[in-house]
Amino acid sequence: MSQIKNYMEEVVFSLMKDVLSDINVCSCEKCRMDIAAIALNNLPPKYIVTDKGELYSKVDSLKQQFEVDVISALAKAAVIVKRNPRHE
Ligand SMILES: [Zn+2]
């Protein structure tokens, strides 16, 4: 079954752990989701049609192309959430 998927989401989630481990930011689910949402709003969506299983090999090759942009967007988003977390 084919699906439309924004592979930028996959790239963001695959790089998020590495970026956040370099930045001292809360890593609870709420903050991680906020960081992902802010980063994705600042990145162009990249929709692909994918069959299950095909996605990850594609993401690996495309990941390198956007890695620098995604890391930069994640770092900026992490700073925003760190300054203004939506919880105590
Ligand atoms: Zn948190």
Side-chain angles (χ1 to χ4, degrees):
M1 194 178 123
S2 297
Q3 292 180 313
I4 293 263
K5 178 102 187 169
N6 177 7
Y7 80 68
M8 204 54 105
E9 286 180 25
E10 301 293 326
V11 180
V12 162
F13 283 107
S14 70
L15 292 171
M16 186 154 72
K17 202 178 169 191
D18 286 347
V19 175
L20 297 193
S21 69
D22 290 342
I23 296 170
N24 185 22
V25 62
C26 175
S27 63
C28 77
E29 190 180 20
K30 199 174 259 184
C31 290
R32 282 189 285 118
M33 291 298 116
D34 278 348
I35 290 165
I38 293 166
L40 282 165
N41 281 336
N42 288 307
L43 289 162
K46 292 290 169 193
Y47 290 102
I48 53 171
V49 176
T50 180
D51 299 319
K52 254 194 181 307
E54 189 200 339
L55 180 64
Y56 292 97
S57 56
K58 237 179 208 169
V59 166
D60 278 348
S61 61
L62 293 166
K63 187 174 155 183
Q64 295 176 341
Q65 198 182 330
F66 290 96
E67 202 168 46
V68 173
D69 291 343
V70 171
I71 288 171
S72 161
L74 276 169
K76 281 180 194 162
V79 169
I80 290 167
V81 170
K82 187 180 178 177
R83 284 191 190 140
N84 207 354
R86 290 198 299 146
H87 59 73
E88 289 311 306

